[in-house]
Amino acid sequence: MVVRSRRPTLAGELLVLQLAIVVVVLVAVAAVSLAQSEATFDRVEGRRVTALAEEMAGNPLLRAQLVLPAPGETLAPLLQTTRTRSNVTSVTVADADGEIVAATNPTLVGTRLPVDGPSVAQARGWSGELPVAGVRELVAQAPVLAEHDDHVGEHVGTVMIGRASPSAWQRLSGASSYLLAYLGIASVLGVAGSWLLARRIKRQTLGLEPREIAGLAEHREAMLFGLAEGVIALDPRLRLTLVNDVGRQLLDLPEPCVGMSLADLGITGRLYDVLAGTGADHGTERRDEVVVRRGRVLVMNRMDVTKDGRRLGSVTTLRDRTELAQLERELGSFRSSTELLRAQAHEFSNQLHTISGLIQIGEHDEVVRYVRALRRHRESLDLTLTSRVRDRAVAALLMAKSALAAERRVQLRISERTALDRLEPTDSADVATVLGNLVDNALDAAAASEHDSDAWVEVELRQDASSVEIVVRDSGPGVAPELAQEVFLRGFTTKAAQGGDRGIGLALTRLVCTRRGGEVSVTNTETGAVFTAWMSVGRPAERETEEVR
C-alpha cells in the first residue's frame, strides 16, 4: 500500500514562512540589543572605573605606603573596601616596576601587572579590556605619583580597577526588562496575521491551493492555444486581457497586444461593435456575427462574463470561414445549374399539363399555337443572352436565374446596354459569384415587395479593357440608408436588411470585388435598390485591397 505524503497547504506554508520571519527578527533584535548593551557597558563602566582608578591613585595613604617596603598588608583593607563600595570585580596595586604588591585577588600578588602598551610605564593612564586571572575585564589603570619630600612627582606605582564584562545572556536580559514580552507579543501577532492572511488569500482564490491554481493556468494555456478557433477576452474598459495565437492571426494583431485597448489597436467599425457589444444589439449576446476583416470572412460569437452581479468583461470566439466562402463560390455554378434544372423541370411540367389539357378537350390547333409561342419565347431569350452575354458560364447563370425568377413570379430583364465578352475561367467564376449573389438578393427583395404582380429585376453588364461592371436593379423596398455600407460588412442579404436572417452573400461579394481591386455599393431610387459592383479582369489583381476594419 502506497501512502502519499500530504502536501502543505497555503495556510501552512504562510505560517511557516511567517514564523521563520519572526525568528529572523528575533535574532536580529537580540543581536542589536547585545551590540547596544555592550557599547553602553563599555562607555558607562569605562568612565566609572577610570574615575575610581584616578581617585584611588590620588589617595594619600596609598601614595605614602607605596614608597615603603611591604605595603601589601597595609593596603589590603583599602582595596577590599574600595571593591565592595564601588561594586567592581578587582582592585590591584603594582609598584613602579609593575610587580603587583596588593590585590583583592591574592593569587595575583607577586605577578606582573598586565599592561597594553608603554603608556602606564610612562606614568600615563590607560583603559580597555584585559585578561585578569583568566577573566576578561574592562579595566582602568592610573599612575600613582609620590608626595614625599624626597620623591615628589615620582612614579611610584600603578592602580588598576576592573569590572568583569557581562555574558551575552546577562546583557540581553539587562537590555530591557520588557524585551521578551515585546518579542512574545510580536510572535503572537505574526502567527495570527499569517493565519488571517492565508484565509483572505484562500477566499480570493476560491479555496484553491497554489499548485491547483498553477495546474488550472497550465490547463487553460493548453486549451486556449490548442483551439482551432480564435479567443479574445476583454475587460470592462475594452482592454485585451487574453488572446490566443489563432485570434491574433485572424485579426492581424501585434504580438505584444495584451493590455492594449481596442482603440490603441486601431479596431473600428463593425469589428469594434461586435467585440465591444455596442451598436443596435447593445447589451445582448452576439451569435454568429459575420465580419469581413482584411480579406477574411470571420464568424464571431460574443458573451458577457459576470460574477455576483458584477461585470468582469467579455469573451469572443472567432472562426475563419474564408475557405468555406471560397468553396461556396466554387459550388455556386453547380448550385445554379441545380436550380435551373429544378425550375425548368417545374416549368416543363406545367407546360406539359397545359398541352395535355388542350388535347383532352380537343383544342388541337390551340396546342400548335401554344407550342409555337413557347418556342418563340425561348428563342428570343436565348438570342438575347447569346448576343449580349458571350461568356457561357455567365449566360448559363442568367438562364438559371431567369427560370428561377419566373417560378417566383418575378420578371428578370437584361438591359439593352449589356455587353460582355468571353472571360478567362477565373474571371468568369468571380463575375458569376458576384452576379449570382446580387441577383439572389434582388429576387428576394422584389418577391417580398407589396406589388409582387409587377415585380422585376434588371441586370446590366458592362465591360472595358480591364474591368467588368455589374449593375442589378430591383423593384423591392430598397435598403435603409444607415445600412448602405454596413450591409456589406455584416454579410446581410437584402432580406436580412429588412430584419430577416443573416448570411454572407454580400460579404462574399465585397470580398471578391476588393480582392480584384474593385468595390461594391448600393443606392436607392424611386423604384427600388441599385447594387453596383466592378472588378478588374483579364489579369491578376495587382494588389489586395485592405479590408475596412
Side-chain angles (χ1 to χ4, degrees):
M1 180 178 179
V2 179
V3 179
R4 296 183 179 180
S5 60
R6 185 178 178 182
R7 296 182 179 180
T9 62
L10 176 62
E13 291 179 356
L14 289 177
L15 182 60
V16 172
L17 178 61
Q18 190 69 23
L19 288 177
I21 294 175
V22 170
V23 170
V24 172
V25 172
L26 290 176
V27 172
V29 170
V32 172
S33 299
L34 288 175
Q36 290 179 344
S37 176
E38 183 178 1
T40 301
F41 177 82
D42 291 343
R43 181 178 66 256
V44 175
E45 293 300 321
R47 293 176 180 174
R48 192 169 75 90
V49 295
T50 300
L52 289 174
E54 292 177 350
E55 179 183 356
M56 190 171 181
N59 189 299
L61 178 61
L62 178 65
R63 300 170 69 180
Q65 291 296 322
L66 277 180
V67 298
L68 300 177
E73 295 180 1
T74 306
L75 296 179
L78 178 62
L79 270 56
Q80 290 294 342
T81 302
T82 302
R83 175 179 176 274
T84 303
R85 180 173 53 85
S86 302
N87 192 25
V88 293
T89 303
S90 63
V91 179
T92 306
V93 177
D95 58 15
D97 297 330
E99 182 179 345
I100 298 176
V101 296
T104 55
N105 186 355
T107 60
L108 297 179
V109 177
T111 62
R112 300 290 299 178
L113 182 72
V115 295
D116 188 357
S119 58
V120 175
Q122 297 174 359
R124 290 184 299 180
W126 179 88
S127 63
E129 288 189 351
L130 287 176
V132 179
V135 179
R136 196 156 188 85
E137 297 180 3
L138 178 64
V139 301
Q141 298 176 347
V144 180
L145 302 179
E147 61 179 358
H148 193 272
D149 294 339
D150 297 335
H151 306 282
V152 174
E154 182 180 350
H155 178 216
V156 294
T158 303
V159 174
M160 183 180 73
I161 298 179
R163 173 72 186 273
S165 299
S167 64
W169 175 253
Q170 291 173 337
R171 291 177 182 175
L172 186 61
S173 59
S176 173
S177 58
Y178 300 102
L179 179 60
L180 294 179
Y182 293 156
L183 294 179
I185 293 173
S187 301
V188 173
L189 292 178
V191 172
S194 301
W195 182 72
L196 293 176
L197 178 62
R199 288 193 59 186
R200 177 177 175 82
I201 294 177
K202 293 276 284 186
R203 287 196 303 267
Q204 293 178 340
T205 58
L206 304 179
L208 297 176
E209 296 295 334
R211 60 182 177 277
E212 297 173 337
I213 298 175
L216 288 177
E218 293 174 354
H219 294 161
R220 189 202 68 167
E221 293 294 319
M223 179 182 66
L224 289 179
F225 290 92
L227 289 175
E229 295 183 351
V231 179
I232 294 178
L234 301 175
D235 64 8
R237 296 184 179 181
L238 302 182
R239 294 178 301 189
L240 268 72
T241 57
L242 182 145
V243 58
N244 63 355
D245 292 338
V246 178
R248 188 170 53 81
Q249 293 172 2
L250 291 179
L251 297 183
D252 196 19
L253 300 177
E255 189 163 351
C257 59
V258 175
M260 301 176 65
S261 66
L262 296 181
D264 296 336
L265 295 171
I267 296 178
T268 58
R270 169 65 178 162
L271 180 58
Y272 180 92
D273 291 340
V274 174
L275 290 176
T278 59
D281 299 328
H282 176 61
T284 63
E285 294 182 356
R286 300 294 185 95
R287 297 291 183 183
D288 294 330
E289 296 282 349
V290 179
V291 176
V292 179
R293 169 74 171 178
R294 296 185 178 177
R296 292 189 177 96
V297 179
L298 305 178
V299 178
M300 305 174 66
N301 290 276
R302 180 185 180 276
M303 182 177 65
D304 286 328
V305 179
T306 58
K307 184 179 185 299
D308 299 332
R310 183 169 57 95
R311 184 171 178 268
L312 302 180
S314 64
V315 176
T316 305
T317 60
L318 304 89
R319 287 175 291 162
D320 189 357
R321 289 190 60 181
T322 305
E323 294 183 0
L324 180 59
Q326 297 294 341
L327 292 177
E328 288 185 357
R329 185 183 67 176
E330 295 175 1
L331 294 175
S333 59
F334 296 99
R335 184 171 58 248
S336 299
S337 300
T338 303
E339 292 292 330
L340 172 61
L341 292 175
R342 186 192 59 78
Q344 287 180 341
H346 184 270
E347 183 181 6
F348 186 65
S349 177
N350 290 335
Q351 293 170 358
L352 287 180
H353 289 162
T354 302
I355 294 172
S356 176
L358 290 174
I359 292 175
Q360 289 179 8
I361 63 177
E363 296 290 340
H364 301 288
D365 294 338
E366 188 64 28
V367 171
V368 175
R369 284 193 296 271
Y370 180 71
V371 172
R372 287 177 178 175
L374 291 177
R375 187 185 65 184
R376 286 194 300 269
H377 175 73
R378 189 66 182 179
E379 289 176 351
S380 175
L381 182 60
D382 291 345
L383 180 62
T384 300
L385 284 176
T386 55
S387 62
R388 297 176 182 174
V389 181
R390 297 186 178 183
D391 187 86
R392 295 180 179 179
V394 177
L397 175 66
L398 289 175
M399 187 71 70
K401 298 303 181 183
S402 175
L404 187 61
E407 184 182 15
R408 303 184 64 178
R409 297 183 180 180
V410 178
Q411 181 184 3
L412 180 62
R413 303 189 303 219
I414 306 299
S415 173
E416 296 180 354
R417 294 185 297 273
T418 294
L420 182 67
D421 293 330
R422 181 168 295 185
L423 302 173
E424 294 291 332
T426 54
D427 298 337
S428 177
D430 285 342
V431 171
T433 298
V434 174
L435 178 61
N437 287 329
L438 294 181
V439 170
D440 286 341
N441 281 278
L443 289 176
D444 291 337
S449 64
E450 296 179 356
H451 307 287
D452 55 353
S453 59
D454 299 327
W456 56 267
V457 172
E458 183 181 70
V459 176
E460 181 178 340
L461 301 173
R462 294 194 295 265
Q463 180 182 12
D464 58 22
S466 60
S467 65
V468 170
E469 185 177 40
I470 303 171
V471 181
V472 177
R473 304 177 180 88
D474 63 65
S475 60
V479 178
E482 62 271 15
L483 298 178
Q485 292 300 324
E486 194 174 3
V487 67
F488 300 104
L489 299 179
R490 290 177 179 252
F492 284 153
T493 61
T494 304
K495 183 187 296 184
Q498 302 176 39
D501 296 332
R502 293 182 175 91
I504 63 170
L506 294 181
L508 180 60
T509 297
R510 188 171 190 265
L511 179 61
V512 173
C513 291
T514 53
R515 282 186 172 179
R516 287 187 165 270
E519 61 182 10
V520 60
S521 61
V522 60
T523 58
N524 289 321
T525 63
E526 296 179 357
T527 57
V530 179
F531 283 83
T532 303
W534 72 270
M535 67 186 75
S536 61
V537 295
R539 55 185 171 81
E542 294 180 357
R543 62 183 176 87
E544 182 176 323
T545 305
E546 180 177 300
E547 194 64 38
V548 178
R549 295 178 181 175

